[in-house]
Amino acid sequence: MPRIAIQAKGLVKWFGEGEARTAALKKVDLEAYFGEMVYIVGPSGSGKTTLLSVLSGILKPNEGSVEVEDVDIWRLDADSLADFRLAKIGFVFQDFHLFPRLTTAENAAIPLILKEKDWDESIREAAGYLEIVGLKGRAGIPPVKLSGGEQQRVAIARAMISKPDILIMDEPTASLDGDTGNAILSFVRKNVLDENRCVVVVTHDSRIYEFATRILQMEDGRLTPTTEKSAK
Amino acid sequence: MKGTLKLAFKLLVNDTAKFTALLMGITFAVFLMMFVTSMFVGVLNHASATVINIGSTIWVMDPAVQTVANTVGMPDYVLDAVRSMQGVKYAVPLYSGGGLAKLSDGSYQSVSIIGLDDTSLLGRPELVEGKIEDIYAQSGFIAVRDAEFSKLGNPHIGSEFELNDNRGVIVGIAKVNTSGLYGTPTLYTTYERAAQYLPNPRYTISYVLVEPKSLSDVQRIKQQVQALGYLALTKEEFMQRTADFFVYKTGGGTNMLIMVLISFTVGLSISGQTFYTFILENLERFGALKAIGARSRDLVAMILFQATFASFTGYGLGVGLSVLSIWLARARLPSYAAMLSFGNLAIGFVMVAIIAGISSYVGIRRVLRIDPFEIFRG
């Protein structure tokens, strides 16, 4: 029986007030398991990103609860929630959000630095992770000198360095060409996903669906029945 | 250094263009503030040159005296009365006035004359040439070698001049702590000769210099002098009175204040704007840090550190630039009236602290308000 990594119940989220109020999530239930690479797919405006933000402790829902590894994250105070994200969740953003004035190693080391780990040790560890994501010898250069795919690998190294149990990827291929996108997701599926980790990917890029273990369709704020996929 | 602060440091200094602009803005503002205030302090210091150089503990004067240079003569009985006061160890007269000297080449030069008490020579300057007792020689004067010395034709011992048709002879060359403000050379002589050579008003005593028996007698002497209808001030009080005159009654203080405010505004607008732009450019990345798990206080500490580091580096550079400028100016103009005091360093420090505070406040507000959800939404 696979262990539950994320369990969301009755999630409701709306934006705006009065007549301008728009419901982004309408009673969403979701379970994600360790060892899974869950895709949340759907058209723009369907509520994918809102759901991802609520699941990862970024955006508070109006109703419902989210348990990550049995911790009801929306009952935590702001500092505890920040600490929880830092310890348990790794983020790969659509636009990478790397600091252009830092080296790739310094960028990748940020979660460790936020955890107050020794600077030099953090940089050494980051250089190791950059090797794992295929960026050996690139630790000392700024990310602006890397290609889009390489920058996404730096972002993955940054997300992985704190050894999170949950990896959140928001439109990871949006800024990449098809081949690079495939290579990145293939890398994540083969090297990042394991039985103690859950990867949640929000995307509308059908070219990378093949790397999912399960695909959840989102439409108009609701999740539609699950599509199970075979292991790749 | 804590990791997040090192991160903040690298984010700041690696953005060379903005960091340079920040530093230049603050450095220039501090330089302006330091320069203006140091010039003013220098002027005030020079204005009290006689008080500093004579060095008497208590100065008795007419209450109408505003600065040491504007004397009002006092009758001789004031000296006798002061000498008889309780707590007075000794009291001597001082003549302070000005005259027009005819130099050996036939040109005329305004001079400041200090007439020292004939018996004690209290307040005599330190001689670098000649012997002090020669001041008693016929027509003996001591010239002060300061920035104005050359206006006397660079005299040497034995040089002659005329003062109100009286012959004067340089018998010594002295040095003093502080040059005068008004650009005139200074000659020391005895009180009697000064009163004899210069046009006599009704009363010739400019000041009575008093040494109290002990410091605890100062207040008592001041009260007794006041009862006599005159004013007794300590050296520091007299300098402050002179400074107050220039600050409040000449417009100098207002001008200085305006210049300081302009410098502050320039510094604040340049550094505040640059720092804000820096924050705006990195806003999404700060949002990403928030999403990753940075606490608000980590971000606040990072921004405070950046603003403080930039501001106080600029402060150091500004002070250094001011010192260099004053040093260079003094190398060419020995009487250049500018000096850095702890007071103007403190004013600059406070101004820079305010600049750092306002700049970081604006940045912190912006960063704390960013919602990491916006990062997901792109």
Side-chain angles (χ1 to χ4, degrees), chain A residues 15 49-50 52-53 56 58-59 79 82-83 85-86 91 93 97-102 106 110-111 113-114 116 119 158 170, chain B residues 2-4 6-7 10-11 14-15 282 284-286 288-295 297-298 371-373 375-378:
Chain A
F15 297 102
T49 299
T50 304
L52 191 72
S53 305
S56 56
I58 298 288
L59 185 67
D79 282 349
D83 290 345
R85 284 202 303 268
L86 187 58
F91 291 90
F93 305 105
H97 292 304
L98 301 172
F99 284 98
R101 310 287 177 193
L102 300 179
E106 286 163 350
I110 281 174
I113 293 165
L114 291 176
E116 298 184 8
W119 179 274
R158 181 177 65 185
D170 180 34
Chain B
K2 201 180 161 193
T4 46
K6 191 166 181 178
L7 191 64
K10 281 182 170 263
L11 287 175
N14 288 358
D15 193 343
N282 286 297
E284 286 188 352
R285 289 160 197 123
F286 278 114
L289 284 184
K290 259 185 165 179
I292 290 169
R295 291 178 172 202
R297 64 167 173 265
D298 291 329
D371 187 343
F373 176 56
I375 304 304
F376 277 121
R377 279 219 293 216

Side-chain angles (χ1 to χ4, degrees), chain A residues 5 9 30 52 56 58 99 152 155-156 165 183 194 197 220 226:
Chain A
K9 287 179 185 166
L30 177 146
L52 191 72
S56 56
I58 298 288
F99 284 98
Q152 190 63 297
I156 291 170
D165 297 338
D194 61 39
R197 186 167 286 139
D220 194 25
T226 300

Side-chain angles (χ1 to χ4, degrees), chain B residues 59-82:
Chain B
W59 293 64
V60 175
M61 67 199 77
D62 189 283
V65 170
Q66 295 289 336
T67 75
V68 67
N70 303 112
T71 59
V72 179
M74 294 181 290
D76 291 349
Y77 78 83
V78 176
L79 177 62
D80 298 330
V82 172

Side-chain angles (χ1 to χ4, degrees), chain A:
Chain A
M1 181 74 180
R3 287 184 297 131
I4 293 176
I6 304 171
Q7 185 168 44
K9 287 179 185 166
L11 292 180
V12 173
K13 180 67 189 174
W14 64 76
F15 297 102
E17 291 298 332
E19 287 183 9
R21 189 158 119 173
T22 314
L25 300 179
K26 300 169 181 172
K27 291 277 178 195
V28 173
D29 297 323
L30 177 146
E31 282 181 355
Y33 301 92
F34 284 107
E36 261 198 327
M37 190 150 164
V38 185
Y39 277 33
I40 301 169
V41 303
S44 293
S46 58
K48 307 187 297 288
T49 299
T50 304
L51 178 60
L52 191 72
S53 305
V54 172
L55 295 179
S56 56
I58 298 288
L59 185 67
K60 191 168 187 176
N62 297 103
E63 289 175 25
S65 65
V66 177
E67 286 187 7
V68 177
E69 295 185 57
D70 299 327
V71 175
D72 188 342
I73 60 171
W74 288 113
R75 287 186 181 275
L76 299 174
D77 61 49
D79 282 349
S80 304
L81 185 54
D83 290 345
F84 187 84
R85 284 202 303 268
L86 187 58
K88 299 285 184 186
I89 303 174
F91 291 90
V92 177
F93 305 105
Q94 180 177 336
D95 297 325
F96 323 135
H97 292 304
L98 301 172
F99 284 98
R101 310 287 177 193
L102 300 179
T103 64
T104 52
E106 286 163 350
N107 268 289
I110 281 174
L112 297 185
I113 293 165
L114 291 176
K115 284 182 170 179
E116 298 184 8
K117 194 166 182 177
D118 174 70
W119 179 274
D120 292 335
E121 209 177 310
S122 302
I123 300 298
R124 269 197 301 275
E125 206 168 314
Y129 271 85
L130 288 173
E131 272 193 54
I132 293 170
V133 298
L135 293 175
K136 188 177 181 182
R138 306 291 184 95
I141 59 172
V144 285
K145 291 193 174 170
L146 301 177
S147 67
E150 288 173 325
Q151 289 187 42
Q152 190 63 297
R153 285 168 187 268
V154 177
I156 291 170
R158 181 177 65 185
M160 297 309 303
I161 199 166
S162 58
K163 302 180 180 71
D165 297 338
I166 315 287
L167 180 63
I168 299 287
M169 302 183 83
D170 180 34
E171 302 282 7
T173 57
S175 307
L176 305 176
D177 61 67
D179 290 342
T180 310
N182 277 337
I184 291 286
L185 268 296
S186 171
F187 174 84
V188 172
R189 178 73 190 260
K190 285 178 182 158
N191 300 288
V192 176
L193 183 66
D194 61 39
E195 61 187 13
N196 294 313
R197 186 167 286 139
C198 172
V199 179
V200 181
V201 181
V202 155
T203 184
H204 58 257
D205 183 357
S206 58
R207 293 172 302 180
I208 58 167
Y209 284 4
E210 58 183 300
F211 301 104
T213 57
R214 188 159 58 111
I215 296 176
L216 303 173
Q217 181 77 33
M218 189 108 200
E219 198 148 340
D220 194 25
R222 289 189 179 86
L223 281 175
T224 57
T226 300
T227 305
E228 293 288 351
K229 300 258 305 173
S230 58
K232 174 114 180 168

Side-chain angles (χ1 to χ4, degrees), chain B residues 105-179:
Chain B
D105 63 359
S107 62
Y108 286 86
Q109 172 64 46
S110 295
V111 289
S112 297
I113 305 288
I114 306 288
L116 302 172
D117 172 48
D118 291 58
T119 324
S120 64
L121 297 183
L122 182 72
R124 62 184 175 273
E126 185 184 340
L127 291 193
V128 290
E129 286 178 37
K131 296 193 293 273
I132 189 65
E133 54 267 33
D134 288 343
I135 200 170
Y136 295 119
Q138 193 176 18
S139 311
F141 282 82
I142 291 168
V144 172
R145 183 176 284 155
D146 59 8
E148 318 304 335
F149 184 67
S150 60
K151 292 178 181 172
L152 291 172
N154 291 315
H156 48 80
I157 292 177
S159 293
E160 293 189 4
F161 61 92
E162 284 179 28
L163 196 59
N164 289 333
D165 297 328
N166 294 294
R167 175 175 167 266
V169 179
I170 301 297
V171 294
I173 308 292
K175 65 175 183 180
V176 292
N177 289 327
T178 308
S179 304

